[in-house]
Structure formats: C-alpha cells, structure tokens
Amino acid sequence: MIKLILTRLAQAVPVMLIVAILTFVLMKLLPGDPAVLLAGEGADLDKVDALRRELGLDRPLLIQLGSWLADLARFDLGRSLFLNQPVAEAIVERLPVTLSLAMVAFVMTIPIGIIMGMVAAYWRDSWVDTAVMSLALVGVSVPNFWLAILAIILFSVTLGWLPSAGYVPIDEGLWLWLRSLIMPAAVLALFQIGYLARMTRSEMLEVMDQDYVRTARAKGVSELRTVAKHAFRNALVSVLTVSGYIFSLLVGGSVVIEQIFALPGIGRLLVQAIMARDIPVVQGTMLFLGFMFVAINVLVDIFYTVVDPRVRYD
Amino acid sequence: MTDATHGVGAATPGPARVSTNSPMRLALRRLMRHRSFRVGLVMLLLIVLLAWAAPWITNGTPNATSVRVRFTPPSLDYPFGTDNFGRDLWTRVVYGARVSLWIGFTVALLSAFFGGIIGVCAAWFRRLDSLLMRIMDALMAFPAILLAIGVSAVLGPQLSSVIIALTSAYIPRCARMVRASALVIREQDYVEAARISGASSLRIILRHILPNCLAPLLVTLTFVFAYAILAEATLSFLGIGTPPPHASWGNIVAQGRDFAVEAWWIMLFPGLAISISALSINLMGDGLRDVLDPRLKIEG
C-alpha cells in the first residue's frame, strides 16, 4: 500500500515538470513583448531595453526556463504586469472564491447525479429511465454560459430572489455566502450532473449483470436491497474515481461562470489577464491550475487504492 | 443467422458484394434500429441541410446592418428578430451553423487522427509509451476548456486558432482511448501471426491494429464533436474564439447578453441552436456507443 502510494506520487513528478515546461513554452509563444507592454505606449527604446534586461528577457531561452523552474521551486510565480502585486499573491487572494464555487457545485453534483443514475438503472427501460436520462442528456448539451444568462433573467431580474452578480465572503455570514453562490454553482453543476447520471447508470447496469447480483436475487434478497447494497457498492468505486475528475472539470468550468456572475475568482483573473496580455499572470494561473489538477488526480488514485485493493500500478 | 433469412441482400450475385452478415452491415442495421441514434441523425441532418441551404433560405448577408430595424422582435419578416445593429438574426444563426459545425467536425476529425496516431504509436512502440503518455497526462491535467482558453490566448482570435486550441485539448483524450484498445489488440493471436510471418510494424499497425481501434475511436469522435461545438461557443462567448463580425453562435449570445432583458431574442435563438446541435450529436453518440462498444467510458 505505502509502496503504491509512493509510486503514484513519483509518477506525478514528471507530469508536473512537463506541465511547467508546457506552460513556459506556451507563454513564450504569446504575441506581444512584456517589456514593450510594461513600458507603455511610445516609450523610447532604451527604456524598453532596460526593462527587458531587468525582466531577464534578454537571456537565452533555456536559461530563462531554468530560472523560471528555480523560482517555481520557491513558489515564486513572478510579478503581474498590471496588478502591482506578485502573481502568487493574486492567485491566493482569489482562490477561496473559485474553491467555494467549485465546492458548492460539487456538493450539488454528487448526490443528484448518483441518485439520477441509480433511479434510471433501477427502473431500466421504463418511462422513468427515459425521463431521467433525457434530463441528463439536456444537461450535457446545453451551454452553461447561455443557461447562466437565462437563470439571471428568471431568478434575479424577474423574480428578484437571488443576486445576479458578486461574491460575499463566508465570514460575512454563511447564508449570504451561499446565496451569492447558489445560482452560479447550480448552472455550473448542471453539465456534471448530467455526465455523472449517465455514467452512474451505465456503471450500475454493468454491475447488475454480474453473478453476485444474480446470486443475491436468487437467494431472495429484496430488489431494493440488491440494488442498494450489492450493486451500488460495487458501482461506487468507479463513480468515486470520476468525482475527482468532476471536481477538476468544475474548477475549469468556473472560468466561464465567474465571468458571467462577476465572481472575483481565479477564472476571472485568468480571462482578464488574457485580455490585458498580462503574461506572468496567465502563466502563473495556468500553472497553478495544472498543478492542482495533477494533485487531485493523485489524491483520487490513492483513494482508489484504499477503497479497492485490487488496483495495482505498473 | 444465415444469408437466406435476409432476402434481397443475399440474393444479389457477384463477388464484390459483401455478405449481409459483415460486421459493418450488422452494426449499421442495429444503429438504424436504435431510437436515439435515429432521432439524433435526423436532427443533425436537418441542421446540416439548413446550414447548406443558407444562401437560399436567408437574406444571404449575415453581416448586413440596418439602423432602421434595430431591436426588432421576432416577426414574419424577421423570424428570429434583429440585433442592436439591425442585423437579421435568422440569417446570422443559420450562417453561424456553418461555423459551428465546421469547427466541431474539423476538431473531432483532427483529434481522432492525431490522437489515433499517438495512441497506436504508444501502444506499439513500447519505448515511446511512457514519454508520449506523460505528455498526454500533462495535457490532460487541464480540463479541455481551460487548455483551449490558454492555446487560444496564445494564437489570438482566429478561426484557425480555435481549431488548433480545441484539437490540442481533445488529442490526449483520443490518444488514451486508442492506446487502451491497441494494447489489448497487440496481444491477439492474429497480430502475433502477422509478426511471425514477417509483416512490418507499419503494415501491422495499418492492417490489424488501427481497423480494430476504429469502433471506440468513432464513438469518441462523436462525443468530441458535441463537446467541440459547446467549447467553440464558450470560447467565442468569452471573446477568444471566432472573432466578430463572423457570426458564431457563441459570439451572438455574448453580444445579446447586454440586452438579455429588453431584447431576449438575440441570445435565445443562438443558445437554442447550440443546445439542439449538441443534443443531436450526443444522441447519435449514445446510439453508436450502445451498438459498437457498450463498455466504453468517455471522458469529457
């Protein structure tokens, strides 16, 4: 067990290194010279050159990559060109918003998605199955940015129940915090609910074809008990694996949702930085998110080994 | 099942005629019996037909502005209304279908192509495996939409950069799928037999491995098509996708967002168009999966 966990951790290191190098290369390809951007329009060439030297942009690429990796090891992501603060600080400031949004959406997704999938599998091929699965299909087909606008029109403009934009930190009151997140989180969760419901259903159907389920039925265990205890328990393992993946997708999706609901999270930081060509921020944010996703994958895999002892890595 | 039971097909003479029981035919017949596949196929064909017929069923000028008819609600003259520049939205949405379907389809095809090559190479040339797959893992670490946003930011708002961005996001997913299938296939006896009889790697890959990976790849390709349509719309909505004035469903929604209350029709119809397209392709994907490869698990 310990060995497995260590192996998995060791496998994550090269992936993280590649993520870092990819991010670096991607940003080097970005059009626009940070020195020119920073110096402002109409600045004279000497000033631009001086800035370029100061930023270390005149050095060979490999050296730049090396120093970027060395800075990374010290959690130094550089300074933003426009925000007048270190990138790491900007990210840490906005992290709670994104994590709150993703967490609330996650808490909605997991039970609803699993229950929908189980209900559909239990009443397989009946109208219940058709209805639930149609709903799930709509969930994975409707673009969430569009749904977000419709939701704002309905719940904020017409009914006036929920705020249309803005984030309230949790220490200003749990209810206010939740109120500011319910709508964005629900919109964000919809796709994943559909995805999880579809996945849970097919997983359940597969498990219900297994011998041990037939055995349970044959020995007279009630159908509900068969499904809940024998089938669901076994389907749960793969459903849980997907949930880590779903959390990553929720964080990724929050980039768009934060933009619409004006939530000051990492996604909004990223999109604004892209628009302003604030390269260090784009670089830092992408890298941070990439590392976070790798870490989530590792955690899920480790969890998986704990739940299902049959899992082995080569 | 024997040929005789199938009547017409079996009766057709000639050596070129494939038996009615060829796996391809069987799959096709089962597909056409699959209800959701049929529904999805008809919906998609309708959308493609509309997109193809765009010059004849619309006024033909998606970017023509007319100040006098700004913000006209849906009416007989303007079935979907007009936007803040007085442009006819029916025309824009129909022309937008061309952009969305073209981008979605190209992305699906390119991802399947490159993903297929990478997946097969990783499975066949074992020395390349860990390098290729670690790079794919690193790319997979980012949710597709995020990677697409990053690449799109680098390349700037152009049609080609949207395609490159989305393709690079979906290649790793296809590669993984193909690698998994290819790893199973390379251990089969017929591959062993081909190797012993002296077939080259290239020949084995092309003749034995690839054809047998096609079923899962086709299913993946279909879902990527649907995801790509949603993702293109998302990028365009964020302003880093299809650049205005090109009509794309995503950028029409973005434009209509500012007038969502007073002129709801601007954002409503392109959003419906995205949903219906994605829905039809997902329905087809479900059918394909049920028929070709029921155990396949797709990651979005």
Side-chain angles (χ1 to χ4, degrees):
Chain A
M1 176 81 84
I2 302 287
K3 196 172 156 244
L4 274 177
I5 293 173
L6 287 178
T7 317
R8 190 61 191 85
L9 282 175
Q11 279 176 353
V13 174
V15 175
M16 287 196 168
L17 194 65
I18 296 174
V19 168
I21 294 173
L22 276 179
T23 321
F24 178 82
V25 172
L26 204 62
M27 293 308 125
K28 279 294 144 199
L29 296 172
L30 257 179
D33 184 337
V36 176
L37 272 172
L38 202 57
E41 259 179 68
D44 58 275
L45 280 176
D46 290 346
K47 203 177 157 202
V48 174
D49 275 343
L51 262 172
R52 192 170 288 145
R53 254 194 308 282
E54 196 187 311
L55 294 170
L57 294 171
D58 56 341
R59 293 173 299 168
L61 271 184
L62 268 180
I63 308 251
Q64 285 188 47
L65 174 64
S67 79
W68 144 255
L69 290 176
D71 286 346
L72 264 188
R74 297 192 301 266
F75 300 105
D76 179 2
L77 293 173
R79 268 188 92 77
S80 159
L81 296 182
F82 302 112
L83 291 173
N84 195 29
Q85 73 182 147
V87 176
E89 195 184 297
I91 291 175
V92 170
E93 252 174 35
R94 288 162 179 80
L95 187 59
V97 182
T98 303
L99 284 185
S100 302
L101 178 62
M103 277 314 292
V104 175
F106 188 71
V107 169
M108 292 177 180
T109 306
I110 299 300
I112 299 178
I114 290 182
I115 289 173
M116 278 172 71
M118 285 188 68
V119 165
Y122 186 78
W123 283 286
R124 179 185 190 172
D125 294 331
S126 73
W127 65 269
V128 181
D129 185 15
T130 313
V132 172
M133 280 304 112
S134 305
L135 214 65
L137 193 66
V138 169
V140 295
S141 304
V142 175
N144 57 14
F145 59 89
W146 181 65
L147 198 70
I149 303 174
L150 294 181
I152 291 177
I153 297 180
L154 179 62
F155 293 109
S156 306
V157 180
T158 312
L159 298 171
W161 290 353
L162 293 163
S164 66
Y167 171 74
V168 183
I170 194 164
D171 34 289
E172 285 178 32
L174 188 67
W175 168 240
L176 286 176
W177 170 76
L178 202 58
R179 217 175 99 94
S180 72
L181 288 175
I182 284 181
M183 198 161 50
V187 170
L188 180 58
L190 196 83
F191 184 97
Q192 312 307 334
I193 290 176
Y195 172 73
L196 184 61
R198 284 154 63 85
M199 144 99 204
T200 307
R201 177 180 180 272
S202 63
E203 205 58 47
M204 283 292 290
L205 291 182
E206 198 172 296
V207 170
M208 278 156 83
D209 281 342
Q210 302 287 322
D211 290 343
Y212 51 80
V213 172
R214 198 178 51 198
T215 310
R217 285 199 179 118
K219 72 180 187 192
V221 176
S222 77
E223 183 64 16
L224 188 69
R225 213 181 139 80
T226 311
V227 171
K229 278 210 78 142
H230 297 260
F232 179 63
R233 280 246 183 137
N234 283 290
L236 190 65
V237 177
S238 35
V239 170
L240 280 178
T241 328
V242 202
S243 42
Y245 177 64
I246 283 179
F247 190 78
S248 300
L249 284 180
L250 288 171
V251 173
S254 67
V255 173
V256 184
I257 296 296
E258 283 172 13
Q259 202 64 18
I260 301 169
F261 290 94
L263 300 171
I266 295 183
R268 203 170 158 75
L269 178 71
L270 175 65
V271 174
Q272 281 170 348
I274 288 175
M275 297 299 174
R277 297 245 167 265
D278 191 341
I279 295 169
V281 175
V282 180
Q283 199 171 27
T285 319
M286 291 292 281
L287 186 82
F288 176 82
L289 290 171
F291 276 14
M292 192 165 113
F293 300 134
V294 175
I296 293 173
N297 289 346
V298 172
L299 284 178
V300 169
D301 284 350
I302 290 176
F303 181 75
Y304 200 28
T305 4
V306 176
V307 186
D308 189 347
R310 288 170 301 183
V311 177
R312 291 290 174 268
Y313 298 105
D314 40 18
Chain B
M1 277 202 276
T2 58
D3 280 353
T5 57
H6 295 296
V8 185
T12 320
R17 191 81 196 184
V18 189
S19 144
T20 33
N21 280 343
S22 77
M24 191 85 154
R25 285 264 192 119
L26 273 177
L28 211 63
R29 197 169 314 138
R30 284 177 61 203
L31 262 181
M32 296 321 280
R33 270 205 297 266
H34 196 284
R35 193 174 41 147
S36 57
F37 181 83
R38 273 202 321 249
V39 175
L41 184 67
V42 170
M43 280 164 66
L44 185 67
L45 284 180
L46 266 175
I47 298 167
V48 172
L49 191 71
L50 285 177
W52 173 75
W56 301 289
I57 55 172
T58 67
N59 67 25
T61 48
N63 297 328
T65 58
S66 169
V67 188
R68 279 180 300 117
V69 292
R70 292 174 62 202
F71 297 118
T72 315
S75 63
L76 275 181
D77 285 343
Y78 302 102
F80 287 1
T82 64
D83 66 6
N84 49 323
F85 297 110
R87 293 179 294 197
D88 176 33
L89 282 164
W90 162 251
T91 307
R92 285 180 73 70
V93 169
V94 173
Y95 273 90
R98 293 184 158 192
V99 176
S100 294
L101 293 178
W102 163 246
I103 291 185
F105 189 69
T106 313
V107 166
L109 219 57
L110 288 178
S111 320
F113 180 74
F114 290 112
I117 292 180
I118 295 174
V120 167
C121 286
W124 186 255
F125 304 107
R126 302 300 295 155
R127 268 189 218 166
L128 284 176
D129 189 34
S130 73
L131 175 68
L132 283 176
M133 282 301 122
R134 285 299 92 80
I135 296 177
M136 294 297 119
D137 281 350
L139 287 172
M140 286 274 279
F142 296 98
I145 188 68
L146 208 62
L147 191 63
I149 287 174
V151 176
S152 205
V154 170
L155 300 171
Q158 287 160 21
L159 286 187
S160 57
S161 63
V162 178
I163 293 178
I164 297 174
L166 292 176
T167 304
S168 55
Y170 291 115
I171 284 176
R173 287 154 179 86
C174 294
R176 265 214 189 169
M177 189 67 68
V178 170
R179 174 180 174 268
S181 321
L183 276 179
V184 178
I185 296 161
R186 77 188 296 264
E187 302 302 329
Q188 303 290 317
D189 290 341
Y190 56 80
V191 174
E192 191 61 38
R195 208 183 338 204
I196 292 168
S197 51
S200 67
S201 286
L202 188 68
R203 188 184 158 82
I204 296 178
I205 286 175
L206 289 180
R207 288 294 299 248
H208 301 288
I209 308 236
L210 261 185
N212 285 298
C213 295
L214 278 185
L217 193 58
L218 187 64
V219 180
T220 313
L221 188 150
T222 315
F223 285 115
V224 167
F225 189 7
Y227 289 137
I229 285 183
L230 285 175
E232 184 274 329
T234 308
L235 289 181
S236 301
F237 175 78
L238 288 175
I240 42 183
T242 311
H246 286 292
S248 139
W249 292 336
N251 68 29
I252 306 175
V253 174
Q255 179 205 350
R257 183 186 161 198
D258 298 336
F259 319 104
V261 180
E262 315 88 284
W264 48 268
W265 54 88
I266 303 179
M267 50 127 333
L268 185 73
F269 294 109
L272 278 177
I274 303 168
S275 310
I276 294 171
S277 313
L279 189 73
S280 66
I281 300 166
N282 276 327
L283 280 170
M284 290 176 64
D286 283 354
L288 278 171
R289 187 196 48 209
D290 287 352
V291 170
L292 293 179
D293 200 352
R295 294 180 56 93
L296 193 67
K297 292 183 187 80
I298 309 286
E299 295 179 359

